[in-house]
Amino acid sequence: MDILKKEGFSLMKVKLTALALAAAMLLSCSGVLVSCNAKENVPARTDGTEANTGTETSTAETTAAETELLTPYTYIKDLKKYDGKSFTMVAPNSGTRYLPGQMLTTEETGDVIMDAAYRRNLAVEETFGIKIKLESPASKQDSVNLYRAEILAQNGTWDLYHGFFSDSVPLALEGLLHPNTKLPYQADITDKEWYPSSVNEGLQYKGKQFIFISDMTCIALSCTCSIFMNTTLGEQFGIKGVDQLALDGKWTIDKLFEYSEGIYADLNNDGASNVGDRFGFGKYSDISNESGELPMIFQYGMGQYTTAMNKNGEPELILNTEKSVAITEKLNKLFYDTGRTTLQNGEASALSFAAGNILFYAAIIMHAANYMRDMENDYVALPMPKYDEKQEEYRVTISKASSISSYIPVSVKDVEFSSAVFDLLAYEGNKSVIPAFFENAMKLKAAKDETATKLFDLIRGGLTMDFGLAYDNSGMVTLVTKLVARNSNSFASEYAAIEEKTLAQYKDTMAMMDKLK
C-alpha cells in the first residue's frame, strides 16, 4: 500500500448552504430563529422562486412524499418505537463555555443559544416519546480515559458520546467506535446538511467514518476562525467594500497585507509597539506556541492541505510544494511585522479590537459574543483569506482542540436507537441552534444584516478537513505552525526531516483502519 507524494489535487466543491439556511430561518416572537421550511436541500432564489433543480417539475407539482423524504421525520422508521425510553448522553464538563448547556439545559432562561438547545431536545423528546439525560463526569483532560474504560467494560451506560475532536481520534483507531456502515442513519450523510459535508467527507477513509461533526450544537462552528474587520476604522482610512470583495471571491492574503499597511500609530506616545497603540492586524492566538492552530488555519484557508485522497481512497502527502514555502514566508511576515501586527494575544488583543484599535483581527467567531457585544464601531466577519483569486473556494478548518465531535461506541446497547436520536438531534440543531448562534454571535453590531448572513455562510460553507488534519501525529500537519512559531522559513529542510516518519505513520494508521469493521 503505497502513499504517493504529489503537489496538487482537486477537491470536491463544498455545497454552500447560505440561501438554504436563510430561507429556513424565520424570526419567532421570542427573537429566536426557527425553521418553517419543509424542503431542505433546494436553495431559495433571490427572486423568491426556488432554484432550478434540473427538471421541469414545479413546486406545486412536487409531491408531499418527495419533500418529506429529505427530513428524519419521514425516513426514520416508527418514530414512537422508543416511547418511554431514556436516552443518556455523555460529554466533558469543561473545555468551552457552551458545556454542558449546549447538550442539555432544563429550562429556557433567555439565553438565545441555550434556549435553542432546550427546544432542540424538547422536539426530539416529543417526537420519540423519550427522556434525554446527560452525564458529565469528567473534565476535558480526563474524559477520553474515562470513555475508553467504560467502552471496554461494555457497560452500555451511555447511548451517545460527545468529546473534543483531538481526544476522539485515538478511540477510533483503537476500534472502539462503530463506523458509519453500522449506523443506519449516519451510513450516508452526503445530502444531510446537518452534518457539514466537507468536514465529514474529510473524516472518511475508504467510505468508513467513526467520528462525526454535526449541527447538534454550535460548538464546532463557534470555534471556527474568522477575520473580523472594524469597518468604521476602515472607513477612516478610505478602506471600504471589503465585505463585498469577500462576497465576490477576491478576499486574499495579499489584500490583507495591502489593507493592514499604514494603520499603525503609537497612540500612547511611549515609543513602543504595545496594546495601547493602533494596529492593522491582530490575533487572539499566541503564534509562538508550536502546538497552536492559527498558522495551520491560515494555511488551510489558503488551500494548502496536508493530504489528498487518491483514486484508491488512500491519503497522499501534498504539503511539499512551493506554495507551502510561500505561505510560510507570508505568515512570518504578517505575524512578526510590529509596524502592522500587535504582539498582544488573548483577551488583551480582543479588548483592543473591541475598543477600535485593530483593523483586522483573527479569532474564533465565538469571540464576537464574548468581546464585541458592546463594541461601538461596526464590524464584519470575513472568511479566512484565499491564497489568490484563482483559488475557487474559501476554506477554514475546524479546531481540533476545541471542536466537539460525536460518536457511537461498540458498547452501546441499541445502535439503531443511538443512531436515530443522534440524527434527529443534529437535524433539529441545524434548524434552531445554528441560526440562534448566528443571530447572537454574528449579527451583533454587524454593519449589514444581509451581508453578515452571506459572509457567515461563506465561513460555514468553507469548513474543511483532510486525513492529515484528522489523523496525523507525526508533526507534518503542524509543520507550518512550528516554523512560524520560530519565525523560520526553513520549510524544505524541516519537511525532509519528518517525511519518512510521516509516511510510516500514515501507513500504520491505514493498516489499523483497514482492520476495523
Side-chain angles (χ1 to χ4, degrees), residues 164-460:
F164 287 91
F165 183 88
S166 57
D167 298 327
S168 305
V169 170
L171 300 179
L173 296 180
E174 292 166 25
L176 301 181
L177 310 182
H178 276 305
N180 57 326
T181 52
K182 298 286 184 67
L183 308 177
Y185 302 109
Q186 287 76 37
D188 183 3
I189 57 177
T190 305
D191 294 321
K192 296 181 177 182
E193 65 181 48
W194 43 103
Y195 303 95
S197 61
S198 55
V199 175
N200 286 285
E201 287 169 6
L203 288 172
Q204 293 185 1
Y205 170 73
K206 293 185 177 180
K208 289 183 289 188
Q209 182 177 349
F210 302 88
I211 306 167
F212 300 88
I213 302 293
S214 80
D215 284 345
M216 176 186 161
T217 77
C218 66
I219 297 175
L221 180 59
S222 73
C223 294
T224 299
C225 198
S226 168
I227 303 293
F228 292 99
M229 178 188 177
N230 182 328
T231 55
T232 302
L233 180 59
E235 289 176 357
Q236 294 175 18
F237 287 86
I239 302 172
K240 302 178 182 180
V242 181
D243 49 1
Q244 187 59 51
L245 184 83
L247 294 176
D248 292 340
K250 299 179 179 180
W251 171 235
T252 66
I253 188 67
D254 288 341
K255 287 296 183 183
L256 176 58
F257 272 105
E258 176 186 343
Y259 294 144
S260 59
E261 181 74 24
I263 306 299
Y264 175 77
D266 184 9
L267 297 182
N268 55 18
N269 296 312
D270 65 354
S273 175
N274 53 43
V275 72
D277 297 338
R278 184 178 65 227
F279 294 92
F281 180 74
K283 68 273 185 292
Y284 190 87
S285 302
D286 179 5
I287 51 89
S288 67
N289 180 0
E290 293 193 5
S291 61
E293 296 184 325
L294 185 59
M296 180 182 68
I297 290 170
F298 266 92
Q299 169 201 324
Y300 274 75
M302 286 186 268
Q304 180 59 65
Y305 287 60
T306 304
T307 63
M309 292 298 185
N310 63 22
K311 62 182 180 180
N312 298 319
E314 299 170 351
E316 303 170 344
L317 266 178
I318 60 166
L319 187 62
N320 190 21
T321 67
E322 292 182 2
K323 183 177 178 180
S324 291
V325 175
I327 287 173
T328 303
E329 292 173 351
K330 286 178 181 289
L331 292 179
N332 280 325
K333 180 181 178 182
L334 176 66
F335 293 138
Y336 291 100
D337 180 0
T338 56
R340 176 197 315 272
T341 301
T342 176
L343 297 174
Q344 301 298 316
N345 305 300
E347 188 171 82
S349 62
L351 293 175
S352 184
F353 177 80
N357 290 333
I358 296 176
L359 179 57
F360 293 101
Y361 180 61
I364 59 176
I365 57 179
M366 181 196 298
H367 289 331
N370 288 355
Y371 298 106
M372 304 172 200
R373 193 178 297 271
D374 299 320
M375 185 171 171
E376 294 183 3
N377 292 167
D378 286 338
Y379 69 83
V380 292
L382 304 168
M384 297 304 294
K386 296 179 179 180
Y387 183 76
D388 55 31
E389 292 184 27
K390 296 178 182 178
Q391 183 177 325
E392 292 188 4
E393 307 286 353
Y394 293 107
R395 300 293 185 204
V396 62
T397 67
I398 66 167
S399 169
K400 291 179 64 175
S402 304
S403 295
I404 285 287
S405 59
S406 303
Y407 42 91
I408 299 175
V410 295
S411 58
V412 300
K413 295 178 180 178
D414 188 335
V415 173
E416 183 181 8
F417 180 44
S418 293
S419 177
V421 176
F422 175 36
D423 193 47
L424 194 56
L425 283 167
Y427 174 83
E428 287 294 340
N430 175 268
K431 300 307 158 194
S432 61
V433 176
I434 299 302
F437 174 77
F438 165 74
E439 180 70 12
N440 186 61
M442 298 297 285
K443 289 174 73 173
L444 288 172
K445 299 294 294 180
K448 302 174 184 176
D449 284 354
E450 182 179 359
T451 298
T453 301
K454 293 177 180 178
L455 290 170
F456 172 79
D457 201 56
L458 283 180
I459 296 168
R460 183 171 182 264

